[in-house]
PDB file of all heavy atoms in Angstrom:
ATOM      1  N   ASP T   6      25.065   3.072   1.959  1.00 86.00           N
ATOM      2  CA  ASP T   6      24.022   3.107   3.007  1.00 86.00           C
ATOM      3  C   ASP T   6      23.562   4.533   3.274  1.00 86.00           C
ATOM      4  O   ASP T   6      22.355   4.798   3.429  1.00 86.00           O
ATOM      5  CB  ASP T   6      24.576   2.536   4.327  1.00 86.00           C
ATOM      6  CG  ASP T   6      24.714   1.029   4.272  1.00 86.00           C
ATOM      7  OD1 ASP T   6      24.092   0.435   3.384  1.00 86.00           O
ATOM      8  OD2 ASP T   6      25.463   0.484   5.100  1.00 86.00           O
ATOM      9  N   ILE T   8      23.759   7.097   1.220  1.00 89.00           N
ATOM     10  CA  ILE T   8      23.016   7.614   0.054  1.00 89.00           C
ATOM     11  C   ILE T   8      21.616   7.017   0.012  1.00 89.00           C
ATOM     12  O   ILE T   8      20.650   7.695  -0.303  1.00 89.00           O
ATOM     13  CB  ILE T   8      23.789   7.330  -1.239  1.00 89.00           C
ATOM     14  CG1 ILE T   8      25.064   8.160  -1.219  1.00 89.00           C
ATOM     15  CG2 ILE T   8      22.956   7.678  -2.477  1.00 89.00           C
ATOM     16  CD1 ILE T   8      25.911   8.024  -2.419  1.00 89.00           C
ATOM     17  N   PHE T   9      21.537   5.737   0.383  1.00 91.00           N
ATOM     18  CA  PHE T   9      20.213   5.109   0.393  1.00 91.00           C
ATOM     19  C   PHE T   9      19.307   5.803   1.416  1.00 91.00           C
ATOM     20  O   PHE T   9      18.129   6.047   1.143  1.00 91.00           O
ATOM     21  CB  PHE T   9      20.358   3.601   0.741  1.00 91.00           C
ATOM     22  CG  PHE T   9      19.060   2.850   0.694  1.00 91.00           C
ATOM     23  CD1 PHE T   9      18.436   2.625  -0.527  1.00 91.00           C
ATOM     24  CD2 PHE T   9      18.441   2.409   1.838  1.00 91.00           C
ATOM     25  CE1 PHE T   9      17.230   1.958  -0.595  1.00 91.00           C
ATOM     26  CE2 PHE T   9      17.235   1.728   1.789  1.00 91.00           C
ATOM     27  CZ  PHE T   9      16.634   1.501   0.564  1.00 91.00           C
ATOM     28  N   LEU T  62       3.457   7.498   9.956  1.00 89.00           N
ATOM     29  CA  LEU T  62       2.435   8.515  10.301  1.00 89.00           C
ATOM     30  C   LEU T  62       2.533   9.006  11.754  1.00 89.00           C
ATOM     31  O   LEU T  62       2.398  10.213  12.005  1.00 89.00           O
ATOM     32  CB  LEU T  62       1.038   7.957  10.052  1.00 89.00           C
ATOM     33  CG  LEU T  62       0.565   7.916   8.606  1.00 89.00           C
ATOM     34  CD1 LEU T  62      -0.879   7.508   8.529  1.00 89.00           C
ATOM     35  CD2 LEU T  62       0.765   9.245   7.906  1.00 89.00           C
ATOM     36  N   ASP T 112     -20.691 -11.715  11.079  1.00 87.00           N
ATOM     37  CA  ASP T 112     -20.701 -11.590   9.611  1.00 87.00           C
ATOM     38  C   ASP T 112     -21.292 -12.823   8.943  1.00 87.00           C
ATOM     39  O   ASP T 112     -21.884 -12.733   7.874  1.00 87.00           O
ATOM     40  CB  ASP T 112     -19.291 -11.314   9.086  1.00 87.00           C
ATOM     41  CG  ASP T 112     -18.224 -12.124   9.803  1.00 87.00           C
ATOM     42  OD1 ASP T 112     -18.601 -12.966  10.635  1.00 87.00           O
ATOM     43  OD2 ASP T 112     -17.041 -11.907   9.516  1.00 87.00           O
ATOM     44  N   HIS T 148     -15.388   1.137   7.787  1.00 92.00           N
ATOM     45  CA  HIS T 148     -14.339   0.142   8.080  1.00 92.00           C
ATOM     46  C   HIS T 148     -14.920  -1.135   8.677  1.00 92.00           C
ATOM     47  O   HIS T 148     -14.543  -2.234   8.286  1.00 92.00           O
ATOM     48  CB  HIS T 148     -13.295   0.746   9.027  1.00 92.00           C
ATOM     49  CG  HIS T 148     -13.860   1.312  10.281  1.00 92.00           C
ATOM     50  ND1 HIS T 148     -14.704   2.400  10.285  1.00 92.00           N
ATOM     51  CD2 HIS T 148     -13.719   0.955  11.572  1.00 92.00           C
ATOM     52  CE1 HIS T 148     -15.042   2.677  11.532  1.00 92.00           C
ATOM     53  NE2 HIS T 148     -14.449   1.822  12.323  1.00 92.00           N
ATOM     54  N   ALA T 152     -14.951  -4.734   6.736  1.00 93.00           N
ATOM     55  CA  ALA T 152     -14.256  -5.852   7.400  1.00 93.00           C
ATOM     56  C   ALA T 152     -15.180  -7.064   7.520  1.00 93.00           C
ATOM     57  O   ALA T 152     -14.722  -8.213   7.463  1.00 93.00           O
ATOM     58  CB  ALA T 152     -13.774  -5.427   8.786  1.00 93.00           C
ATOM     59  N   THR T 160     -15.464 -15.269  -0.228  1.00 91.00           N
ATOM     60  CA  THR T 160     -15.884 -16.668  -0.177  1.00 91.00           C
ATOM     61  C   THR T 160     -16.740 -17.011  -1.391  1.00 91.00           C
ATOM     62  O   THR T 160     -16.605 -18.085  -2.001  1.00 91.00           O
ATOM     63  CB  THR T 160     -16.670 -16.937   1.142  1.00 91.00           C
ATOM     64  OG1 THR T 160     -15.840 -16.538   2.224  1.00 91.00           O
ATOM     65  CG2 THR T 160     -17.021 -18.403   1.286  1.00 91.00           C
ATOM     66  N   ARG T 163     -14.409 -17.386  -4.220  1.00 88.00           N
ATOM     67  CA  ARG T 163     -13.638 -18.626  -4.112  1.00 88.00           C
ATOM     68  C   ARG T 163     -14.482 -19.836  -4.520  1.00 88.00           C
ATOM     69  O   ARG T 163     -13.972 -20.775  -5.093  1.00 88.00           O
ATOM     70  CB  ARG T 163     -13.170 -18.779  -2.655  1.00 88.00           C
ATOM     71  CG  ARG T 163     -12.211 -19.921  -2.427  1.00 88.00           C
ATOM     72  CD  ARG T 163     -11.645 -19.921  -1.031  1.00 88.00           C
ATOM     73  NE  ARG T 163     -12.676 -19.900  -0.007  1.00 88.00           N
ATOM     74  CZ  ARG T 163     -12.444 -20.034   1.299  1.00 88.00           C
ATOM     75  NH1 ARG T 163     -11.214 -20.155   1.723  1.00 88.00           N
ATOM     76  NH2 ARG T 163     -13.414 -20.022   2.182  1.00 88.00           N
ATOM     77  N   LYS T 170      -9.059 -15.478 -13.371  1.00 69.00           N
ATOM     78  CA  LYS T 170      -8.891 -14.644 -14.559  1.00 69.00           C
ATOM     79  C   LYS T 170     -10.206 -14.442 -15.295  1.00 69.00           C
ATOM     80  O   LYS T 170     -10.500 -13.357 -15.786  1.00 69.00           O
ATOM     81  CB  LYS T 170      -7.876 -15.299 -15.506  1.00 69.00           C
ATOM     82  CG  LYS T 170      -6.585 -14.531 -15.674  1.00 69.00           C
ATOM     83  CD  LYS T 170      -5.733 -15.196 -16.702  1.00 69.00           C
ATOM     84  CE  LYS T 170      -4.434 -14.440 -16.862  1.00 69.00           C
ATOM     85  NZ  LYS T 170      -3.542 -15.100 -17.821  1.00 69.00           N
ATOM     86  N   SER T 319      -4.061  -4.704  20.136  1.00 88.00           N
ATOM     87  CA  SER T 319      -3.295  -5.198  18.978  1.00 88.00           C
ATOM     88  C   SER T 319      -3.961  -4.827  17.661  1.00 88.00           C
ATOM     89  O   SER T 319      -3.309  -4.835  16.623  1.00 88.00           O
ATOM     90  CB  SER T 319      -3.135  -6.710  19.078  1.00 88.00           C
ATOM     91  OG  SER T 319      -4.404  -7.323  18.999  1.00 88.00           O
ATOM     92  N   SER T 320      -5.249  -4.500  17.698  1.00 87.00           N
ATOM     93  CA  SER T 320      -5.938  -4.261  16.423  1.00 87.00           C
ATOM     94  C   SER T 320      -6.111  -2.789  16.082  1.00 87.00           C
ATOM     95  O   SER T 320      -6.448  -2.450  14.944  1.00 87.00           O
ATOM     96  CB  SER T 320      -7.324  -4.912  16.447  1.00 87.00           C
ATOM     97  OG  SER T 320      -7.208  -6.283  16.653  1.00 87.00           O
ATOM     98  N   ASN T 322      -4.715   0.952  15.445  1.00 87.00           N
ATOM     99  CA  ASN T 322      -3.488   1.661  15.118  1.00 87.00           C
ATOM    100  C   ASN T 322      -3.475   2.994  15.886  1.00 87.00           C
ATOM    101  O   ASN T 322      -4.063   3.985  15.455  1.00 87.00           O
ATOM    102  CB  ASN T 322      -3.443   1.893  13.603  1.00 87.00           C
ATOM    103  CG  ASN T 322      -2.149   2.550  13.175  1.00 87.00           C
ATOM    104  OD1 ASN T 322      -1.383   3.036  13.996  1.00 87.00           O
ATOM    105  ND2 ASN T 322      -1.917   2.561  11.877  1.00 87.00           N
ATOM    106  N   VAL T 325      -2.456   6.415  14.310  1.00 87.00           N
ATOM    107  CA  VAL T 325      -3.396   7.186  13.502  1.00 87.00           C
ATOM    108  C   VAL T 325      -4.209   8.104  14.415  1.00 87.00           C
ATOM    109  O   VAL T 325      -4.489   9.255  14.056  1.00 87.00           O
ATOM    110  CB  VAL T 325      -4.319   6.244  12.701  1.00 87.00           C
ATOM    111  CG1 VAL T 325      -5.442   6.994  12.035  1.00 87.00           C
ATOM    112  CG2 VAL T 325      -3.504   5.513  11.655  1.00 87.00           C
ATOM    113  N   LEU T 328      -2.220  10.981  15.142  1.00 89.00           N
ATOM    114  CA  LEU T 328      -2.156  11.899  13.996  1.00 89.00           C
ATOM    115  C   LEU T 328      -3.431  12.747  13.918  1.00 89.00           C
ATOM    116  O   LEU T 328      -3.378  13.943  13.630  1.00 89.00           O
ATOM    117  CB  LEU T 328      -1.969  11.137  12.687  1.00 89.00           C
ATOM    118  CG  LEU T 328      -1.811  12.030  11.459  1.00 89.00           C
ATOM    119  CD1 LEU T 328      -0.523  12.828  11.540  1.00 89.00           C
ATOM    120  CD2 LEU T 328      -1.844  11.248  10.163  1.00 89.00           C
ATOM    121  N   VAL T 421      -6.376   5.125  -1.519  1.00 79.00           N
ATOM    122  CA  VAL T 421      -5.940   5.694  -0.232  1.00 79.00           C
ATOM    123  C   VAL T 421      -7.021   6.484   0.497  1.00 79.00           C
ATOM    124  O   VAL T 421      -6.965   6.650   1.711  1.00 79.00           O
ATOM    125  CB  VAL T 421      -4.700   6.619  -0.368  1.00 79.00           C
ATOM    126  CG1 VAL T 421      -3.546   5.874  -0.976  1.00 79.00           C
ATOM    127  CG2 VAL T 421      -5.019   7.884  -1.166  1.00 79.00           C
ATOM    128  N   ALA T 422      -8.011   7.003  -0.248  1.00 77.00           N
ATOM    129  CA  ALA T 422      -8.894   7.988   0.341  1.00 77.00           C
ATOM    130  C   ALA T 422      -9.828   7.399   1.400  1.00 77.00           C
ATOM    131  O   ALA T 422      -9.937   7.916   2.501  1.00 77.00           O
ATOM    132  CB  ALA T 422      -9.706   8.659  -0.752  1.00 77.00           C
ATOM    133  N   THR T 427      -9.302   1.102   0.551  1.00 91.00           N
ATOM    134  CA  THR T 427      -8.006   0.544   0.933  1.00 91.00           C
ATOM    135  C   THR T 427      -8.155  -0.950   1.256  1.00 91.00           C
ATOM    136  O   THR T 427      -7.311  -1.754   0.890  1.00 91.00           O
ATOM    137  CB  THR T 427      -7.431   1.274   2.164  1.00 91.00           C
ATOM    138  OG1 THR T 427      -7.432   2.661   1.900  1.00 91.00           O
ATOM    139  CG2 THR T 427      -6.032   0.816   2.485  1.00 91.00           C
ATOM    140  N   TYR T 430      -8.639  -3.042  -1.825  1.00 92.00           N
ATOM    141  CA  TYR T 430      -7.373  -3.030  -2.590  1.00 92.00           C
ATOM    142  C   TYR T 430      -6.359  -4.012  -1.944  1.00 92.00           C
ATOM    143  O   TYR T 430      -5.604  -4.676  -2.658  1.00 92.00           O
ATOM    144  CB  TYR T 430      -6.810  -1.615  -2.587  1.00 92.00           C
ATOM    145  CG  TYR T 430      -5.563  -1.434  -3.424  1.00 92.00           C
ATOM    146  CD1 TYR T 430      -5.606  -1.598  -4.806  1.00 92.00           C
ATOM    147  CD2 TYR T 430      -4.346  -1.092  -2.854  1.00 92.00           C
ATOM    148  CE1 TYR T 430      -4.470  -1.442  -5.587  1.00 92.00           C
ATOM    149  CE2 TYR T 430      -3.204  -0.933  -3.617  1.00 92.00           C
ATOM    150  CZ  TYR T 430      -3.275  -1.112  -4.985  1.00 92.00           C
ATOM    151  OH  TYR T 430      -2.137  -0.945  -5.748  1.00 92.00           O
ATOM    152  N   SER T 432      -6.879  -6.753  -0.758  1.00 89.00           N
ATOM    153  CA  SER T 432      -7.163  -8.151  -1.095  1.00 89.00           C
ATOM    154  C   SER T 432      -6.331  -8.602  -2.277  1.00 89.00           C
ATOM    155  O   SER T 432      -6.182  -9.805  -2.533  1.00 89.00           O
ATOM    156  CB  SER T 432      -8.651  -8.332  -1.431  1.00 89.00           C
ATOM    157  OG  SER T 432      -8.916  -7.740  -2.708  1.00 89.00           O
TER     158      SER T 432
ATOM    159  N   GLU F  22       0.902 -15.461 -11.362  1.00 85.00           N
ATOM    160  CA  GLU F  22       0.667 -15.172 -12.782  1.00 85.00           C
ATOM    161  C   GLU F  22       1.956 -14.786 -13.505  1.00 85.00           C
ATOM    162  O   GLU F  22       2.192 -15.186 -14.630  1.00 85.00           O
ATOM    163  CB  GLU F  22      -0.359 -14.029 -12.876  1.00 85.00           C
ATOM    164  CG  GLU F  22      -1.041 -13.909 -14.199  1.00 85.00           C
ATOM    165  CD  GLU F  22      -2.091 -12.794 -14.167  1.00 85.00           C
ATOM    166  OE1 GLU F  22      -2.522 -12.382 -13.061  1.00 85.00           O
ATOM    167  OE2 GLU F  22      -2.441 -12.335 -15.235  1.00 85.00           O
ATOM    168  N   GLU F  49       2.431  -4.629  -1.656  1.00 86.00           N
ATOM    169  CA  GLU F  49       2.243  -3.209  -1.307  1.00 86.00           C
ATOM    170  C   GLU F  49       1.783  -3.081   0.129  1.00 86.00           C
ATOM    171  O   GLU F  49       0.975  -3.883   0.600  1.00 86.00           O
ATOM    172  CB  GLU F  49       1.166  -2.595  -2.220  1.00 86.00           C
ATOM    173  CG  GLU F  49       1.754  -1.908  -3.431  1.00 86.00           C
ATOM    174  CD  GLU F  49       0.679  -1.201  -4.217  1.00 86.00           C
ATOM    175  OE1 GLU F  49       0.255  -0.122  -3.806  1.00 86.00           O
ATOM    176  OE2 GLU F  49       0.264  -1.761  -5.255  1.00 86.00           O
ATOM    177  N   ASN F  52      -2.190   1.664   2.992  1.00 78.00           N
ATOM    178  CA  ASN F  52      -2.105   3.043   3.459  1.00 78.00           C
ATOM    179  C   ASN F  52      -2.230   3.073   4.985  1.00 78.00           C
ATOM    180  O   ASN F  52      -3.158   2.500   5.553  1.00 78.00           O
ATOM    181  CB  ASN F  52      -3.263   3.818   2.823  1.00 78.00           C
ATOM    182  CG  ASN F  52      -3.310   5.259   3.261  1.00 78.00           C
ATOM    183  OD1 ASN F  52      -3.684   5.528   4.390  1.00 78.00           O
ATOM    184  ND2 ASN F  52      -2.903   6.139   2.391  1.00 78.00           N
ATOM    185  N   GLU F  53      -1.280   3.752   5.607  1.00 80.00           N
ATOM    186  CA  GLU F  53      -1.193   3.679   7.071  1.00 80.00           C
ATOM    187  C   GLU F  53      -2.401   4.303   7.777  1.00 80.00           C
ATOM    188  O   GLU F  53      -2.738   3.929   8.902  1.00 80.00           O
ATOM    189  CB  GLU F  53       0.097   4.358   7.542  1.00 80.00           C
ATOM    190  CG  GLU F  53       0.753   3.563   8.657  1.00 80.00           C
ATOM    191  CD  GLU F  53       2.041   4.191   9.130  1.00 80.00           C
ATOM    192  OE1 GLU F  53       2.750   4.807   8.317  1.00 80.00           O
ATOM    193  OE2 GLU F  53       2.332   4.100  10.323  1.00 80.00           O
ATOM    194  N   PHE F  54      -3.048   5.266   7.090  1.00 82.00           N
ATOM    195  CA  PHE F  54      -4.244   5.878   7.677  1.00 82.00           C
ATOM    196  C   PHE F  54      -5.292   4.823   8.017  1.00 82.00           C
ATOM    197  O   PHE F  54      -6.015   4.944   8.987  1.00 82.00           O
ATOM    198  CB  PHE F  54      -4.875   6.845   6.674  1.00 82.00           C
ATOM    199  CG  PHE F  54      -4.405   8.253   6.830  1.00 82.00           C
ATOM    200  CD1 PHE F  54      -3.633   8.849   5.849  1.00 82.00           C
ATOM    201  CD2 PHE F  54      -4.723   8.992   7.943  1.00 82.00           C
ATOM    202  CE1 PHE F  54      -3.185  10.139   5.986  1.00 82.00           C
ATOM    203  CE2 PHE F  54      -4.279  10.281   8.108  1.00 82.00           C
ATOM    204  CZ  PHE F  54      -3.507  10.874   7.120  1.00 82.00           C
ATOM    205  N   HIS F  55      -5.391   3.826   7.144  1.00 85.00           N
ATOM    206  CA  HIS F  55      -6.437   2.825   7.318  1.00 85.00           C
ATOM    207  C   HIS F  55      -5.852   1.492   7.788  1.00 85.00           C
ATOM    208  O   HIS F  55      -6.464   0.449   7.600  1.00 85.00           O
ATOM    209  CB  HIS F  55      -7.200   2.654   5.999  1.00 85.00           C
ATOM    210  CG  HIS F  55      -7.662   3.939   5.416  1.00 85.00           C
ATOM    211  ND1 HIS F  55      -8.356   4.866   6.142  1.00 85.00           N
ATOM    212  CD2 HIS F  55      -7.493   4.479   4.181  1.00 85.00           C
ATOM    213  CE1 HIS F  55      -8.614   5.922   5.384  1.00 85.00           C
ATOM    214  NE2 HIS F  55      -8.104   5.725   4.198  1.00 85.00           N
ATOM    215  N   SER F  57      -5.522   0.195  10.737  1.00 84.00           N
ATOM    216  CA  SER F  57      -6.358  -0.547  11.689  1.00 84.00           C
ATOM    217  C   SER F  57      -7.438  -1.334  10.966  1.00 84.00           C
ATOM    218  O   SER F  57      -7.685  -2.502  11.266  1.00 84.00           O
ATOM    219  CB  SER F  57      -7.068   0.416  12.656  1.00 84.00           C
ATOM    220  OG  SER F  57      -6.157   1.009  13.521  1.00 84.00           O
ATOM    221  N   SER F  58      -8.076  -0.664   9.991  1.00 88.00           N
ATOM    222  CA  SER F  58      -9.183  -1.310   9.274  1.00 88.00           C
ATOM    223  C   SER F  58      -8.683  -2.500   8.479  1.00 88.00           C
ATOM    224  O   SER F  58      -9.345  -3.550   8.434  1.00 88.00           O
ATOM    225  CB  SER F  58      -9.844  -0.304   8.333  1.00 88.00           C
ATOM    226  OG  SER F  58     -10.131   0.895   9.012  1.00 88.00           O
ATOM    227  N   THR F  62      -9.683  -6.406   9.086  1.00 91.00           N
ATOM    228  CA  THR F  62     -10.253  -7.214   8.005  1.00 91.00           C
ATOM    229  C   THR F  62      -9.435  -8.490   7.815  1.00 91.00           C
ATOM    230  O   THR F  62      -9.990  -9.577   7.635  1.00 91.00           O
ATOM    231  CB  THR F  62     -10.258  -6.413   6.678  1.00 91.00           C
ATOM    232  OG1 THR F  62     -10.889  -5.159   6.921  1.00 91.00           O
ATOM    233  CG2 THR F  62     -11.013  -7.138   5.591  1.00 91.00           C
ATOM    234  N   ARG F  63      -8.108  -8.344   7.901  1.00 89.00           N
ATOM    235  CA  ARG F  63      -7.268  -9.547   7.694  1.00 89.00           C
ATOM    236  C   ARG F  63      -7.494 -10.565   8.795  1.00 89.00           C
ATOM    237  O   ARG F  63      -7.513 -11.787   8.540  1.00 89.00           O
ATOM    238  CB  ARG F  63      -5.783  -9.137   7.624  1.00 89.00           C
ATOM    239  CG  ARG F  63      -5.496  -8.457   6.310  1.00 89.00           C
ATOM    240  CD  ARG F  63      -4.056  -8.519   5.910  1.00 89.00           C
ATOM    241  NE  ARG F  63      -3.924  -8.043   4.540  1.00 89.00           N
ATOM    242  CZ  ARG F  63      -2.993  -7.213   4.134  1.00 89.00           C
ATOM    243  NH1 ARG F  63      -2.089  -6.776   4.977  1.00 89.00           N
ATOM    244  NH2 ARG F  63      -2.925  -6.833   2.874  1.00 89.00           N
ATOM    245  N   LYS F  64      -7.672 -10.059  10.023  1.00 88.00           N
ATOM    246  CA  LYS F  64      -7.950 -10.992  11.131  1.00 88.00           C
ATOM    247  C   LYS F  64      -9.273 -11.720  10.881  1.00 88.00           C
ATOM    248  O   LYS F  64      -9.405 -12.911  11.132  1.00 88.00           O
ATOM    249  CB  LYS F  64      -8.031 -10.237  12.461  1.00 88.00           C
ATOM    250  CG  LYS F  64      -6.660  -9.944  13.041  1.00 88.00           C
ATOM    251  CD  LYS F  64      -6.786  -9.360  14.434  1.00 88.00           C
ATOM    252  CE  LYS F  64      -5.405  -9.045  14.992  1.00 88.00           C
ATOM    253  NZ  LYS F  64      -5.460  -8.371  16.270  1.00 88.00           N
ATOM    254  N   ASN F  65     -10.258 -10.959  10.382  1.00 89.00           N
ATOM    255  CA  ASN F  65     -11.559 -11.557  10.125  1.00 89.00           C
ATOM    256  C   ASN F  65     -11.479 -12.542   8.960  1.00 89.00           C
ATOM    257  O   ASN F  65     -12.126 -13.586   8.967  1.00 89.00           O
ATOM    258  CB  ASN F  65     -12.593 -10.470   9.818  1.00 89.00           C
ATOM    259  CG  ASN F  65     -13.997 -10.971  10.011  1.00 89.00           C
ATOM    260  OD1 ASN F  65     -14.245 -11.822  10.855  1.00 89.00           O
ATOM    261  ND2 ASN F  65     -14.929 -10.469   9.231  1.00 89.00           N
ATOM    262  N   TRP F  69     -12.339 -16.866   8.255  1.00 87.00           N
ATOM    263  CA  TRP F  69     -13.025 -17.496   7.118  1.00 87.00           C
ATOM    264  C   TRP F  69     -12.056 -18.372   6.300  1.00 87.00           C
ATOM    265  O   TRP F  69     -12.392 -18.796   5.188  1.00 87.00           O
ATOM    266  CB  TRP F  69     -13.590 -16.400   6.194  1.00 87.00           C
ATOM    267  CG  TRP F  69     -14.815 -15.708   6.724  1.00 87.00           C
ATOM    268  CD1 TRP F  69     -14.862 -14.849   7.759  1.00 87.00           C
ATOM    269  CD2 TRP F  69     -16.149 -15.817   6.229  1.00 87.00           C
ATOM    270  NE1 TRP F  69     -16.150 -14.396   7.946  1.00 87.00           N
ATOM    271  CE2 TRP F  69     -16.954 -14.991   7.015  1.00 87.00           C
ATOM    272  CE3 TRP F  69     -16.742 -16.546   5.209  1.00 87.00           C
ATOM    273  CZ2 TRP F  69     -18.330 -14.845   6.796  1.00 87.00           C
ATOM    274  CZ3 TRP F  69     -18.120 -16.404   4.985  1.00 87.00           C
ATOM    275  CH2 TRP F  69     -18.880 -15.565   5.786  1.00 87.00           C
ATOM    276  N   ASN F  70     -10.878 -18.582   6.858  1.00 87.00           N
ATOM    277  CA  ASN F  70      -9.835 -19.361   6.156  1.00 87.00           C
ATOM    278  C   ASN F  70      -9.466 -18.764   4.808  1.00 87.00           C
ATOM    279  O   ASN F  70      -9.186 -19.483   3.842  1.00 87.00           O
ATOM    280  CB  ASN F  70     -10.264 -20.817   5.962  1.00 87.00           C
ATOM    281  CG  ASN F  70     -10.436 -21.514   7.288  1.00 87.00           C
ATOM    282  OD1 ASN F  70      -9.649 -21.283   8.197  1.00 87.00           O
ATOM    283  ND2 ASN F  70     -11.475 -22.327   7.408  1.00 87.00           N
ATOM    284  N   PRO F  74      -3.097 -12.471   0.410  1.00 89.00           N
ATOM    285  CA  PRO F  74      -2.698 -12.771  -0.971  1.00 89.00           C
ATOM    286  C   PRO F  74      -1.204 -13.111  -1.101  1.00 89.00           C
ATOM    287  O   PRO F  74      -0.826 -13.924  -1.950  1.00 89.00           O
ATOM    288  CB  PRO F  74      -3.038 -11.495  -1.734  1.00 89.00           C
ATOM    289  CG  PRO F  74      -3.443 -10.473  -0.744  1.00 89.00           C
ATOM    290  CD  PRO F  74      -3.783 -11.176   0.530  1.00 89.00           C
ATOM    291  N   GLU F 133       8.035  -0.840   0.038  1.00 90.00           N
ATOM    292  CA  GLU F 133       8.673  -0.498  -1.246  1.00 90.00           C
ATOM    293  C   GLU F 133       9.681  -1.595  -1.602  1.00 90.00           C
ATOM    294  O   GLU F 133      10.434  -2.072  -0.744  1.00 90.00           O
ATOM    295  CB  GLU F 133       9.364   0.856  -1.085  1.00 90.00           C
ATOM    296  CG  GLU F 133       9.770   1.515  -2.363  1.00 90.00           C
ATOM    297  CD  GLU F 133      11.266   1.476  -2.541  1.00 90.00           C
ATOM    298  OE1 GLU F 133      12.001   1.533  -1.549  1.00 90.00           O
ATOM    299  OE2 GLU F 133      11.680   1.361  -3.699  1.00 90.00           O
ATOM    300  N   ASP F 136      13.618  -1.263  -0.871  1.00 93.00           N
ATOM    301  CA  ASP F 136      13.828  -1.137   0.576  1.00 93.00           C
ATOM    302  C   ASP F 136      13.645  -2.504   1.258  1.00 93.00           C
ATOM    303  O   ASP F 136      14.461  -2.905   2.092  1.00 93.00           O
ATOM    304  CB  ASP F 136      12.823  -0.109   1.127  1.00 93.00           C
ATOM    305  CG  ASP F 136      13.029   0.129   2.606  1.00 93.00           C
ATOM    306  OD1 ASP F 136      14.199   0.155   3.042  1.00 93.00           O
ATOM    307  OD2 ASP F 136      12.038   0.311   3.332  1.00 93.00           O
ATOM    308  N   ARG F 139      16.395  -5.002   0.253  1.00 95.00           N
ATOM    309  CA  ARG F 139      17.645  -4.604   0.924  1.00 95.00           C
ATOM    310  C   ARG F 139      17.629  -5.080   2.389  1.00 95.00           C
ATOM    311  O   ARG F 139      18.611  -5.648   2.872  1.00 95.00           O
ATOM    312  CB  ARG F 139      17.733  -3.084   0.840  1.00 95.00           C
ATOM    313  CG  ARG F 139      18.991  -2.491   1.363  1.00 95.00           C
ATOM    314  CD  ARG F 139      18.898  -0.973   1.211  1.00 95.00           C
ATOM    315  NE  ARG F 139      19.733  -0.325   2.170  1.00 95.00           N
ATOM    316  CZ  ARG F 139      21.038  -0.080   2.012  1.00 95.00           C
ATOM    317  NH1 ARG F 139      21.610  -0.427   0.890  1.00 95.00           N
ATOM    318  NH2 ARG F 139      21.738   0.489   2.946  1.00 95.00           N
ATOM    319  N   TYR F 168      21.712  -0.031  -4.529  1.00 90.00           N
ATOM    320  CA  TYR F 168      21.374  -0.180  -3.116  1.00 90.00           C
ATOM    321  C   TYR F 168      21.236  -1.627  -2.633  1.00 90.00           C
ATOM    322  O   TYR F 168      21.221  -1.861  -1.440  1.00 90.00           O
ATOM    323  CB  TYR F 168      20.080   0.580  -2.810  1.00 90.00           C
ATOM    324  CG  TYR F 168      20.192   2.053  -3.122  1.00 90.00           C
ATOM    325  CD1 TYR F 168      19.232   2.701  -3.876  1.00 90.00           C
ATOM    326  CD2 TYR F 168      21.283   2.792  -2.678  1.00 90.00           C
ATOM    327  CE1 TYR F 168      19.345   4.045  -4.165  1.00 90.00           C
ATOM    328  CE2 TYR F 168      21.413   4.124  -2.975  1.00 90.00           C
ATOM    329  CZ  TYR F 168      20.434   4.751  -3.715  1.00 90.00           C
ATOM    330  OH  TYR F 168      20.558   6.086  -4.012  1.00 90.00           O
ATOM    331  N   PRO F 280      29.818   5.880  -4.467  1.00 78.00           N
ATOM    332  CA  PRO F 280      28.356   5.946  -4.565  1.00 78.00           C
ATOM    333  C   PRO F 280      27.836   7.295  -5.076  1.00 78.00           C
ATOM    334  O   PRO F 280      26.827   7.339  -5.764  1.00 78.00           O
ATOM    335  CB  PRO F 280      27.907   5.705  -3.114  1.00 78.00           C
ATOM    336  CG  PRO F 280      29.016   5.015  -2.460  1.00 78.00           C
ATOM    337  CD  PRO F 280      30.257   5.468  -3.124  1.00 78.00           C
ATOM    338  N   ILE F 281      28.526   8.385  -4.719  1.00 81.00           N
ATOM    339  CA  ILE F 281      28.054   9.697  -5.179  1.00 81.00           C
ATOM    340  C   ILE F 281      28.168   9.804  -6.693  1.00 81.00           C
ATOM    341  O   ILE F 281      27.219  10.252  -7.358  1.00 81.00           O
ATOM    342  CB  ILE F 281      28.915  10.822  -4.539  1.00 81.00           C
ATOM    343  CG1 ILE F 281      28.629  10.911  -3.052  1.00 81.00           C
ATOM    344  CG2 ILE F 281      28.684  12.155  -5.209  1.00 81.00           C
ATOM    345  CD1 ILE F 281      27.450  11.766  -2.679  1.00 81.00           C
TER     346      ILE F 281
END
Side-chain angles (χ1 to χ4, degrees):
Chain T
D6 287 342
I8 293 181
F9 184 70
L62 283 187
D112 41 5
H148 54 296
T160 305
R163 188 173 54 173
K170 246 185 181 177
S319 64
S320 301
N322 184 348
V325 171
L328 184 66
V421 302
T427 307
Y430 185 65
S432 73
Chain F
E22 199 177 341
E49 265 186 78
N52 178 286
E53 221 179 328
F54 267 113
H55 310 309
S57 290
S58 311
T62 308
R63 287 204 171 136
K64 279 187 181 175
N65 200 31
W69 286 70
N70 296 322
E133 194 252 328
D136 183 38
R139 185 180 154 85
Y168 301 130
I281 291 274

